[in-house]
Amino acid sequence: MAATLHDVARLAGVSIKTVSNVINDYPHIRPATREKVERAVAELGYTPNLTARNLRSGKTGAIALAVPDLALPYFAELAANVIAAAESAGLVVLIEQTGSDRQRELELLRSPRLKLTDGLIFSPLGMGQEDAEALRVPYPLVVLGERIFDGPADHVTMRNIEAARAATEFLLASGRRRIAVIGAHEGEVIGSAGLRLRGYREALEAAGIPFDESLLGYTTLWHRSNGARAMRELLVTGAQFDAVFGLNDTLALGAMRVLQEAGLRVPADVAVMGFDDIDDAEYSIPSLTTVDPGRGWIARTAVETLRARIDGEAPEVVSLQLADFRVIERESALAAAR
């Protein structure tokens, strides 16, 4: 039979309360006593009854992470970052995939499955500002992304406008003047595409360069195949450009492949810029110049903010926290390429 708390206490020659304090890492335990209990635990192979502990504490020790699509490298790497941060906080992570579908996202917020967790880190892509009140939920919640601002939950996100402006300014500083964009969404204002396009336009305006809508490549989802298709369509129009800004790295990588197939040299003929700094960006040929939007910081801050809510340590007023960013210069947009 499995060893019990009583067995450990008997072997160590201490009270059950002392064993419990050691297992729960209570700080005020004499080193010699802690050593005796830990030795007894190891000898008996004792494993704490987590179910009983959770019933007493009212916590499960698990949190949920909901992302749109794990096939997108950004969200897969974000999930890995969240899991690592949660492990450091003594938490496990249950992952939900919503498929960027608004109805599925709304249903998830009301799902009884969330009762298995202490809180949710939620990255919606189908919901919009009109759904802000749906975030008023009876459990700790941290929202990621750009679909809903000024909602009733803590929000951790990136500086999309400023980062996209910096990316465009980098291309302009390298001598590029006709910068195509891959990944625009028709009519979008709020959301990654809308905000990043706004940053691009602000950079052009500050440089005195007119905005040219013929340089926009529209897509739906931000996969490599969509970036490739949008790039082919832009080439067919005969539009003249000397740089391409993919609104995420996967779009940029798809576009770069098509440019090379068309006989255009990257970066000598066309510089290519991405956004997200996924792992693939460093290892593409040529390696992809991109924006690091602070994904690791976002993951750590989201976990810490959620943990503070779970433990009742967070202020009553919800917070908006914004990550820092940096442009990472690699081979696809070297300033000296021309």
Side-chain angles (χ1 to χ4, degrees), residues 63-277:
I63 61 174
L65 169 67
V67 295
D69 188 355
L70 287 169
L72 282 170
Y74 174 83
F75 290 113
E77 293 176 23
L78 174 70
N81 290 150
V82 168
I83 289 169
E87 285 180 349
S88 297
L91 300 167
V92 297
V93 182
L94 307 180
I95 297 180
E96 296 272 358
Q97 184 173 257
T98 62
S100 309
D101 182 80
R102 175 178 176 270
Q103 192 57 41
R104 286 176 63 181
E105 291 173 351
L106 291 169
E107 289 172 358
L108 172 68
L109 290 170
R110 303 187 296 267
S111 173
R113 293 194 302 276
L114 293 178
K115 293 180 181 178
L116 301 173
T117 68
D118 299 323
L120 170 65
I121 297 174
F122 181 43
S123 181
L125 205 55
M127 292 169 57
Q129 192 63 42
E130 68 279 6
D131 299 307
E133 279 303 302
L135 301 177
R136 200 176 298 280
V137 292
Y139 51 80
L141 172 66
V142 173
V143 178
L144 307 181
E146 298 74 43
R147 296 297 300 172
I148 302 174
F149 287 89
D150 302 319
D154 293 301
H155 190 181
V156 180
T157 189
M158 60 187 69
R159 301 177 187 271
N160 276 285
I161 298 172
E162 298 94 327
R165 177 168 178 161
T168 308
E169 288 172 344
F170 178 91
L171 293 171
L172 293 170
S174 71
R176 316 290 172 158
R177 286 297 177 268
R178 290 188 58 77
I179 304 171
V181 171
I182 298 295
H185 289 170
E186 291 275 7
E188 181 174 288
V189 177
I190 296 296
S192 298
L195 296 175
R196 293 176 195 177
L197 185 61
R198 177 176 160 189
Y200 160 82
R201 295 188 64 164
E202 286 183 1
L204 293 183
E205 183 178 355
I209 297 175
F211 170 68
D212 184 351
E213 191 165 358
S214 71
L215 295 180
L216 296 188
Y218 290 96
T219 65
T220 51
L221 299 177
W222 280 1
H223 294 280
R224 286 178 178 82
S225 59
N226 300 84
R229 181 167 55 251
M231 190 75 261
R232 289 191 188 98
E233 291 171 353
L234 200 60
L235 288 172
V236 166
T237 69
Q240 298 298 304
F241 50 86
D242 55 11
V244 171
F245 179 18
L247 296 185
N248 80 346
D249 285 347
T250 51
L251 292 170
L253 291 170
M256 188 160 66
R257 171 60 185 257
V258 169
L259 290 170
Q260 292 169 327
E261 288 174 348
L264 294 166
R265 298 168 299 163
V266 178
D269 298 323
V270 181
V272 179
M273 169 73 71
F275 194 113
D276 282 342
D277 192 30

Side-chain angles (χ1 to χ4, degrees), residues 311-334:
D311 293 343
E313 299 173 1
E316 184 175 344
V317 178
V318 299
S319 62
L320 170 62
Q321 301 178 77
L322 298 169
D324 289 330
F325 63 88
R326 61 193 177 106
V327 175
I328 300 177
E329 182 178 359
R330 297 196 180 104
E331 295 164 344
S332 71
L334 291 174

